[in-house]
Amino acid sequence: LAIPRMQGRSIETGQSLHISLGTSGAGGADTAATLAGLTALQTLTDEAVASDSPPTVSVSDPTAMILAQDVLRRSYVRQNNAAAYDPRCVRFVAAAPIPYAAAVMDMLAHDETSASIMVGAFGSEAALIVEEGVRQGVTQVIGTSDATTIPLLYPSSDHLLVGEEMFVPGAYVGTDPSWLSNVIVQDIFRWIIVLAIILSAVGSLLP
């Protein structure tokens, strides 16, 4: 429920919703994480664009910038308002992790930002961004594919997406029932597998 509330607050206050796609792009080892961030962007943009409150998107890779611009443009097209699309809503802020973190920290400090959603590939530099968000009182949701980064983010983040949670943003936003159905089915199969393992272990112990 946190993400819809963050989006609603951004629309009501007129302050920007910041979405970070991480420090990777398409075509590399972290392509899946980048696509997860793009999916999160897609699930959030239609309502924001309809309310004339487009998000501010920060990227660190040219391919991520092109894809994010296309996602945002398509949202305007779906709202029959293509003329209002501004590609500058997607900002290529830096090409390296630490400069990228510094640029995003500056955005959180000086832009009127109500909330920040970070979904993508992040390293330890994400902790710097999160700490700046805490100082500015910005509500934050963070999802990263790097397991070594999660312990750094846990103490400061408001909402942390762990594991496969970052790949199903539609289930949190509620814009597409198929997302929620997929998550439910995955959970059912997960419990079936766990139960099968337990029964197999118990069976092996019986005489």
Side-chain angles (χ1 to χ4, degrees):
L1 296 176
I3 294 178
R5 285 199 301 265
M6 293 164 68
Q7 187 178 34
R9 180 184 176 190
S10 173
I11 293 172
E12 291 174 0
T13 63
Q15 295 180 319
S16 175
L17 173 66
H18 169 252
I19 300 177
S20 171
L21 301 185
T23 56
S24 67
D30 293 312
T31 297
T34 301
L35 294 178
L38 290 167
T39 303
L41 175 62
Q42 180 180 345
T43 59
L44 292 166
T45 50
D46 281 350
E47 184 177 351
V49 166
S51 304
D52 196 26
S53 301
T56 299
V57 186
S58 63
V59 300
S60 180
D61 185 273
T63 60
M65 180 182 71
I66 294 172
L67 292 171
Q69 287 176 334
D70 185 61
V71 168
L72 193 59
R73 180 188 63 81
R74 289 175 182 270
S75 291
Y76 277 96
V77 171
R78 284 192 293 271
Q79 298 297 327
N80 297 315
N81 193 20
Y85 164 65
D86 186 355
R88 292 175 297 180
C89 289
V90 181
R91 304 181 187 178
F92 179 85
V93 295
I98 297 301
Y100 174 78
V104 174
M105 291 167 65
D106 183 73
M107 291 170 59
L108 297 179
H110 296 99
D111 293 355
E112 292 186 355
T113 304
S114 64
S116 177
I117 299 175
M118 300 166 56
V119 178
F122 294 95
S124 58
E125 75 283 348
L128 300 174
I129 300 174
V130 172
E131 286 299 325
E132 181 61 33
V134 171
R135 282 194 291 269
Q136 300 301 327
V138 175
T139 305
Q140 301 177 94
V141 172
I142 301 99
T144 177
S145 57
D146 187 354
T148 62
T149 304
I150 292 176
L152 301 176
L153 303 178
Y154 182 78
S156 303
S157 62
D158 300 298
H159 307 279
L160 187 61
L161 305 181
V162 180
E164 74 275 10
E165 291 179 347
M166 67 175 287
F167 296 100
V168 287
Y172 302 109
V173 179
T175 56
D176 188 347
S178 65
W179 281 100
L180 184 58
S181 300
N182 288 337
V183 173
I184 293 174
V185 171
Q186 289 175 23
D187 286 341
I188 291 173
F189 277 106
R190 184 180 294 110
W191 281 108
I192 290 175
I193 293 172
V194 170
L195 181 61
I197 293 173
I198 293 175
L199 291 176
S200 176
V202 171
S204 65
L205 296 175
L206 295 177

